[in-house]
Amino acid sequence: MTTRFDQGPWAAAGVQTVQPGVHRVPLPLPNDGLHAVNVYLLEDLDDDGGLVMIDGGWAIPEARKTLEEALAAIGRDPGDISHILVTHIHRDHYTHAVELRRLLGSRVYLGAGERPGLEMLDRLRSNQPVGSLRTLRAAGAGELADRIEGMDHGGYDPSVWEAPDRWLGAETLRFGDRELRVVPTPGHTKGHVVFLDEQRGLLFSGDHVLPHITPSIGFELAEPGGRPLADYLDSLRLMTRYADARLLPAHGPVTDSAHTRVAELLGHHDDRLAGSLTALGEDTLDAHAVARRLTWTRRAVPFGSLNAFNQMLAVNETAAHLDVLVLREQVAVAFADGVNQYTRVR
């Protein structure tokens, strides 16, 4: 579950030069528990002297102004951005990239796993997280789903949900003498990717590996499907197959070791799996009922103290943990009257 944490100086406007030619720029977010999203400007990749940007931010005027100021601080301007590589489709990462392409002609790249969701968005013409609402109802939280559905999710603007110039798979992008390995990391979304600069030992991790929080799992703008937590845990383990690298996340400060944080995240989910099993106990319950027995965030907040949006994330995360327990044959599930009911296996 993505939860608010101490914003600290990392979210303050400005430029952090991570190393020569690699700059972190936090762009502001509107009405969001996370105050900023990091984008990264890479100076020495493009043959023509342009900039490669990783992640785009949310398409709001404040983000554009902050980016322009950051570019000026390193002696560049927006027209220098030749490519924007986006880790996933959430609007705090993707929509500003599409807007910049329209204004500047930059090329936008996105993981191929996001294509079905983007196409469904075009059909639905809505920012409602319909896949997550469907998961809520199957988790026994129909009333909460109705409340979320009735909220204002912002007007749908088709101009910022256009297709990318290129869909990315597991491949290596080459810019001049530099290479960026594209690693699909499904879990947070089905099409999430990270970008690994093995030459410089840098991992641009998007929302896959975050230094202070655990990302929401399977929070899709459209149809989720599958087993998002199982995918996420596999994607975390995948990171350990590569040499350790500095962690350059989408939210939070740069840290020295991606492997260290991956181990912490795997440990966290082990704890939550055990906690979910304990909360289920000897009863037969839906995921909503189990979520209400758990506490949330690092501050161990009761479920009832969360706002509706975070209750949605909590219920959906609980369903994801219970589904992993089903895969591990520790829990059985039966679908009745539109709701999944879970029972511990003895």
Side-chain angles (χ1 to χ4, degrees):
M1 175 181 178
T2 303
T3 56
R4 185 168 179 171
F5 61 94
D6 180 12
Q7 303 298 324
W10 79 267
V15 181
Q16 175 195 5
T17 299
V18 177
Q19 64 182 63
V22 180
H23 310 282
R24 181 183 69 86
V25 180
L27 299 183
L29 299 176
N31 303 318
D32 197 273
L34 293 170
H35 290 176
V37 57
N38 293 323
V39 302
Y40 295 91
L41 302 171
L42 311 183
E43 286 198 275
D44 58 349
L45 296 188
D46 192 294
D47 285 333
D48 297 325
L51 296 171
V52 173
M53 182 169 162
I54 294 182
D55 274 329
W58 192 313
I60 56 174
E62 295 84 354
R64 172 85 184 283
K65 180 175 182 293
T66 299
L67 179 62
E68 290 173 347
E69 291 171 348
L71 287 163
I74 61 172
R76 308 300 290 260
D77 63 61
D80 292 334
I81 300 172
S82 61
H83 294 77
I84 307 174
L85 316 181
V86 184
T87 58
H88 62 293
I89 200 175
H90 286 166
R91 56 184 173 180
D92 58 326
H93 295 254
Y94 189 64
T95 57
H96 193 218
V98 175
E99 182 177 80
L100 290 173
R101 176 179 64 184
R102 186 169 57 252
L103 295 170
L104 309 172
S106 311
R107 290 178 57 81
V108 175
Y109 292 6
L110 182 67
E114 302 290 40
R115 188 169 191 159
L118 189 59
E119 290 174 348
M120 183 172 283
L121 273 174
D122 186 53
R123 294 194 300 272
L124 294 173
R125 316 293 282 184
S126 170
N127 288 326
Q128 282 190 349
V130 294
S132 295
L133 295 178
R134 188 175 293 110
T135 302
L136 268 187
R137 293 192 167 94
E143 186 275 332
L144 176 59
D146 291 341
R147 277 194 287 144
I148 297 289
E149 189 172 16
M151 291 179 177
D152 180 8
H153 296 277
Y156 179 80
D157 179 0
S159 70
V160 294
W161 292 114
E162 297 170 352
D165 296 282
R166 179 173 167 185
W167 296 103
L168 297 172
E171 60 186 278
T172 298
L173 301 175
R174 292 175 175 83
F175 299 95
D177 295 330
R178 294 287 185 183
E179 295 182 347
L180 287 175
R181 183 190 291 267
V182 184
V183 183
T185 51
H188 180 58
T189 65
K190 287 191 286 189
H192 194 291
V193 297
V194 301
F195 300 100
L196 180 60
D197 184 335
E198 294 175 290
Q199 295 164 296
R200 292 189 282 199
L202 304 176
L203 175 65
F204 300 93
S205 66
D207 283 3
H208 180 51
V209 183
L210 299 173
H212 291 156
I213 57 176
T214 59
S216 57
I217 302 302
F219 178 54
E220 303 282 352
L221 295 170
E223 181 66 51
R227 293 285 189 263
L229 180 59
D231 291 342
Y232 179 66
L233 296 176
D234 287 343
S235 296
L236 283 177
R237 295 185 191 101
L238 177 62
M239 295 294 93
T240 65
R241 299 180 192 171
Y242 300 99
D244 199 6
R246 295 185 76 187
L247 178 64
L248 281 66
H251 307 284
V254 173
T255 59
D256 287 335
S257 171
H259 284 186
T260 296
R261 183 55 180 158
V262 164
E264 292 171 352
L265 288 166
L266 287 169
H268 164 80
H269 284 289
D270 283 343
D271 291 343
R272 294 303 285 185
L273 286 164
S276 298
L277 193 60
T278 299
L280 178 61
E282 303 302 319
D283 301 315
T284 296
L285 300 172
D286 58 45
H288 186 206
V290 176
R292 295 198 302 270
R293 292 182 173 186
L294 296 167
T295 58
W296 298 93
T297 82
R298 294 185 300 164
R299 299 175 180 83
V301 175
F303 180 86
S305 297
L306 301 173
N307 63 26
F309 181 82
N310 281 307
Q311 285 186 355
M312 175 182 71
L313 296 181
V315 172
N316 288 357
E317 180 176 314
T318 302
H321 282 90
L322 291 169
D323 286 340
V324 168
L325 292 170
V326 171
L327 290 175
R328 295 181 180 181
E329 300 183 343
Q330 294 176 273
V331 168
V333 61
F335 190 67
D337 298 323
V339 175
N340 288 315
Q341 299 285 347
Y342 298 89
T343 306
R344 190 168 185 167
V345 174
R346 289 297 184 184

